[in-house]
Amino acid sequence: MTIANNLLNHPNFLLGVHPEEITTSHEQYVKERDLRREERKVTFHEIVAVRPIEHIGDMNAEDVYNIWYRGTDFNSFKRSFLNTIQMMLLGNYNGDDLNNCARGLECRTRDGAYKRKMNKYHSRQAVLSEQDRQTSIGIRNEHMISDVYTMETISARLEALELGIQDQNEVFEEVRKIKNFEMEVIALDVMTEEMSSDEEIDYCDEGGATQIFSDRRGAGSEKN
């Protein structure tokens, strides 16, 4: 009677799949999953760079004090972003600037904390439900449990991916600005070297820099 009830409760049986096909389907799933896992292998570069890190137990007290965070540091961190969280709660946050940054504080608000709590709850329930389902039909497959958890957390992972892409684009934009600024500085240095001579420098010292640049600009216009 128990076996019959388990079969009736199985989703494949409700979809019209014959009970004998359950085992075959499961074995096929395992083979395909193992094949996919074999294709994903970890490889190492031909040249491996190793950077040794000194263990905290081998450090002296001064180095530990200077390198490792303490409880007072974490309390200071929390106090430093209280103003940012208050602005986020009141809806007055207008984006990151030199004094405020909301990255990493998304779950510190009421809505963010509740959303995180619900995501964890639903993910945990999905895993427990899959375990109960497997127990009821007499199978044990950790890969299927992993798949259930992966599907349940896909929205959170996509949201994290979107934030990561946003941060990446902002970094690329800052790098572009820095490169443009460096090119402008180089161009200015080149122009200064071309326009300056010993006589011109002496003349500039006497207040004639404006006249020199004006003459150079006029000469360039006549050539065009």
Side-chain angles (χ1 to χ4, degrees):
M1 187 66 179
T2 303
I3 297 177
N5 290 334
N6 290 340
L7 290 175
L8 288 174
N9 292 328
H10 192 271
N12 288 336
F13 187 82
L14 297 177
L15 291 174
V17 180
H18 194 276
E20 294 179 355
E21 298 179 6
I22 296 177
T23 303
T24 304
S25 176
H26 170 67
E27 292 175 351
Q28 181 66 23
Y29 170 84
V30 172
K31 290 181 181 179
E32 294 177 355
R33 182 59 183 271
D34 291 342
L35 181 61
R36 291 197 301 269
R37 287 185 175 274
E38 289 179 0
E39 295 175 352
R40 296 183 295 178
K41 296 182 179 179
V42 177
T43 58
F44 296 91
H45 197 273
E46 295 180 357
I47 302 176
V48 179
V50 179
R51 181 181 179 183
I53 304 297
E54 187 177 7
H55 191 273
I56 186 173
D58 299 328
M59 296 181 181
N60 56 48
E62 183 179 359
D63 289 340
V64 173
Y65 179 85
N66 293 329
I67 296 175
W68 287 82
Y69 288 131
R70 299 173 299 282
T72 54
D73 295 323
F74 289 107
N75 292 334
S76 178
F77 296 155
K78 292 179 181 179
R79 288 194 299 270
S80 67
F81 56 65
L82 282 178
N83 184 55
T84 304
I85 293 177
Q86 290 176 354
M87 290 191 296
M88 294 170 65
L89 290 172
L90 297 175
N92 298 330
Y93 191 75
N94 298 319
D96 298 343
D97 53 33
L98 294 177
N99 298 318
N100 297 282
C101 179
R103 179 64 72 247
L105 303 178
E106 294 84 0
C107 296
R108 296 283 181 172
T109 63
R110 293 187 185 90
D111 293 341
Y114 178 79
K115 181 179 180 181
R116 182 186 183 188
K117 180 180 179 179
M118 287 296 98
N119 286 339
K120 294 171 68 175
Y121 171 79
H122 290 303
S123 301
R124 184 168 56 250
Q125 290 301 117
V127 170
L128 294 175
S129 297
E130 175 61 20
Q131 289 177 335
D132 291 340
R133 188 189 72 83
Q134 292 188 16
T135 301
S136 67
I137 60 176
I139 66 172
R140 180 178 179 180
N141 190 315
E142 65 274 13
H143 300 315
M144 296 178 73
I145 296 176
S146 175
D147 287 344
V148 167
Y149 181 81
T150 299
M151 292 301 299
E152 188 63 38
T153 59
I154 189 171
S155 59
R157 290 187 290 112
L158 290 176
E159 183 177 349
L161 177 61
E162 183 178 355
L163 290 176
I165 294 175
Q166 177 182 335
D167 290 345
Q168 174 183 271
N169 293 336
E170 291 179 359
V171 171
F172 285 165
E173 178 63 19
E174 290 299 320
V175 171
R176 185 189 65 81
K177 291 180 181 179
I178 293 174
K179 289 184 177 179
N180 289 342
F181 176 76
E182 292 175 347
M183 294 298 295
E184 291 176 359
V185 171
I186 294 174
L188 181 61
D189 291 341
V190 172
M191 182 180 70
T192 303
E193 292 175 359
E194 292 177 350
M195 298 181 65
S196 298
S197 64
D198 293 339
E199 294 79 6
E200 290 171 338
I201 292 175
D202 294 337
Y203 185 58
C204 289
D205 292 339
E206 298 176 359
T210 303
Q211 183 62 39
I212 290 178
F213 280 99
S214 177
D215 294 343
R216 294 288 186 179
R217 190 179 299 110
S221 300
E222 292 178 0
K223 291 180 180 180
N224 295 332

